[in-house]
Structure formats: C-alpha cells, structure tokens
Amino acid sequence: MFSAYWKLAEIAFKRQIVYRAANLAGMATNICWGFFRIYLLLAVLGSGKEIGGLDHDGIIIYAGFTQAIIAPLKIYGGWDLLRAIKSGEAISDFCKPIDFYSMWYARDCGQAAYQLIARGLPIMLLFLVVFKIQLKLSALKGLAFLISMSMALNISFSWRMIYNAIGFWVLDARGIAIMANAISEFLMGFTIPVSLFPEWLQQVVSLTPFSAILDIPLAILLDRPAGTEEVFLLLGRQLFWTIAMLITARLILRAGAKKVVIQGG
C-alpha cells in the first residue's frame, strides 16, 4: 500500500516540473515581495535594536522564511479538493481502493517536495547570501527545525482539507474557503510577525493551530528557545495540533462523504 502513495507523490512531483515558467515567475514574485517586506520592516526598525523581538538579522530570516514557504505550504490557499468536489471528480477518488485522505496527502507531499527544492530553498538561500546572514542553529535545533517543518506541512494540509470539505455542503464554497484561509494567514504570522501582535492576541494565537504552521518553526529557526526543554515543549504543541487537525479533517471528510450520491453504474 505504501508503494501506491509513494507513486502518487512521485507523479505529483513530476507534474510540477512541467510548469517551469510558472514556478520561475512565482519565485521571482516571492523574491521581489521578500525584498519589499525586508526593507519595510527595516524602516520600521529604524535606529532601534529590535521590533517585536526581531533584530536586523531576525527580520531578514523572517521575511526570507515566510516567502520561501509560500509554495510548499500553500500559504495562499489550495483549492484542488474544492474543485474536485464541485466538478464531481472527487467521486472517482472515493471509489479507489486506497484511503481518500492519505491519497490527497501523498499528492500534497509530492507538490511540497518539488516546491521546497526548486523554489523554497533557493529563495531562502538568496536572502541569506545577499544580506550575509548566518543561521546559528546547533545540530539538535537543526533537527528540531526539520521535524517542526514536517509537522507544519501536516497541519497546513489538514486545515486546507477542512475548509475545502465545506464544498460537500455548500454549492459554491470558494468564498468561505478564501475567508478561512485569509484568517489563518494572518493568525499564523505571515502578514506580520506574531511577536508584533498585542499581548492578548499573541495568547489567543498560541491556543490555535495556526501558530504551529509558521510561528513555531520560525522560533526554532531564529534560535529563540532557550534550551532543549523549551524546544521539546514547542514540538509537543505542534504534535498535539498535528494529531488534532488530522482527526478533525478525517471526521469532516467522512461526514462529507456521506453527502455524496453516485448516480448510474
């Protein structure tokens, strides 16, 4: 069974290679906006030492990281399942002898792997090289960051499946899905760093799964955790939301599948 999911991820990876021009255009856009965000935040920083816990180097890392993960984590939203539900293509997926959720997850992993290699890493490295920034991660925190990013992908995917599944109940759910994604985009700290939020809002955000998508991996990348115990606490929070969102997404998809009626055949 694993070989089937691996094949689906491989096909999704190869499919992304076809869109070279679109990916290059997307990378160029991400880089331009990255520079814009960097200089905007540096202007806010001015002659001060830091803003919201971000110093000069922190601002570069924050902007570079957020631009680098746009495509791998589909920060601006993913509507593939929503379109499949509306067109009826999702019916064929339900009829396949493999798990519906795992099938879509395998496809998403394939796409994310390509976008990370071909787009995310080059963008991040470019900003680090241009501004001569060195990441100060120990081997342990480097490993923690990789684990954190894998969980961030899982949580992001589950969240996208949840708001895409609205299509099982609503004839045109695109507007609802866009609003849901816009809210998560803000709360995860993509629009502005979570550390710039009012303290009460930071506490609210820490109780949502959205901080586990971006803010926790960023905190590890910025080497904010004071020690190993704090790193494990952050990863523990992510693990909780990984499991919680996975269960929630599966339950909603199961409920949505019961609304599907297959005619003919």
Side-chain angles (χ1 to χ4, degrees):
M1 187 62 73
F2 176 78
S3 60
Y5 297 125
W6 179 265
K7 192 65 179 178
L8 285 168
E10 183 182 344
I11 292 171
F13 184 95
K14 291 179 178 179
R15 186 175 295 166
Q16 292 297 306
I17 299 175
V18 177
Y19 304 105
R20 293 187 184 91
N23 285 318
L24 286 173
M27 183 190 295
T29 303
N30 294 154
I31 291 170
C32 289
W33 275 102
F35 279 111
F36 172 78
R37 298 182 73 193
I38 285 171
Y39 286 115
L40 177 63
L41 287 171
L42 288 177
V44 175
L45 176 65
S47 58
K49 292 184 179 180
E50 63 177 40
I51 52 169
L54 295 174
D55 57 10
H56 176 276
D57 289 3
I59 287 173
I60 310 301
I61 294 171
Y62 164 77
F65 178 66
T66 52
Q67 294 303 118
I69 65 171
I70 287 176
L73 298 190
K74 296 185 179 178
I75 298 297
Y76 292 146
W79 325 108
D80 293 342
L81 177 59
L82 196 62
R83 285 193 292 266
I85 293 171
K86 188 171 183 178
S87 66
E89 294 174 16
I91 301 300
S92 63
D93 290 340
F94 280 117
C95 295
K96 291 173 183 175
I98 53 177
D99 181 64
F100 183 84
Y101 182 94
S102 299
M103 177 182 61
W104 278 85
Y105 179 65
R107 291 171 178 168
D108 197 73
C109 284
Q111 294 172 5
Y114 176 84
Q115 294 296 341
L116 179 64
I117 296 169
R119 190 162 160 181
L121 287 177
I123 290 173
M124 188 69 199
L125 289 173
L126 174 67
F127 287 119
L128 294 178
V129 170
V130 169
F131 292 95
K132 300 178 181 178
I133 306 295
Q134 290 186 346
L135 296 177
K136 303 173 183 178
L137 289 179
S138 64
L140 177 62
K141 288 185 178 177
L143 177 60
F145 174 72
L146 294 178
I147 295 172
S148 178
M149 282 303 300
S150 67
M151 288 194 285
L153 173 62
N154 277 273
I155 297 167
S156 171
F157 174 74
S158 294
W159 170 238
R160 282 181 272 121
M161 292 295 278
I162 288 170
Y163 66 66
N164 271 258
I166 298 171
F168 286 119
W169 289 274
V170 181
L171 289 177
D172 190 355
R174 184 68 183 265
I176 299 173
I178 289 174
M179 281 298 298
N181 189 73
I183 292 170
S184 64
E185 185 182 316
F186 176 76
L187 292 179
M188 73 174 64
F190 178 82
T191 309
I192 60 173
V194 172
S195 57
L196 293 181
F197 290 177
E199 188 173 346
W200 66 268
L201 185 54
Q202 290 185 40
Q203 293 175 355
V204 171
V205 170
S206 68
L207 300 175
T208 71
F210 308 121
S211 65
I213 297 175
L214 191 154
D215 195 49
I216 291 179
L218 177 65
I220 298 173
L221 187 62
L222 290 171
D223 200 22
R224 281 180 175 170
T228 305
E229 184 178 345
E230 193 171 342
V231 171
F232 282 121
L233 285 173
L234 290 175
L235 293 180
R237 277 176 53 195
Q238 269 193 303
L239 180 60
F240 167 79
W241 283 116
T242 299
I243 297 171
M245 294 295 281
L246 170 64
I247 294 172
T248 303
R250 281 186 170 277
L251 289 175
I252 292 175
L253 285 172
R254 184 178 298 177
K258 293 178 180 178
K259 299 283 291 182
V260 175
V261 178
I262 304 176
Q263 295 181 339

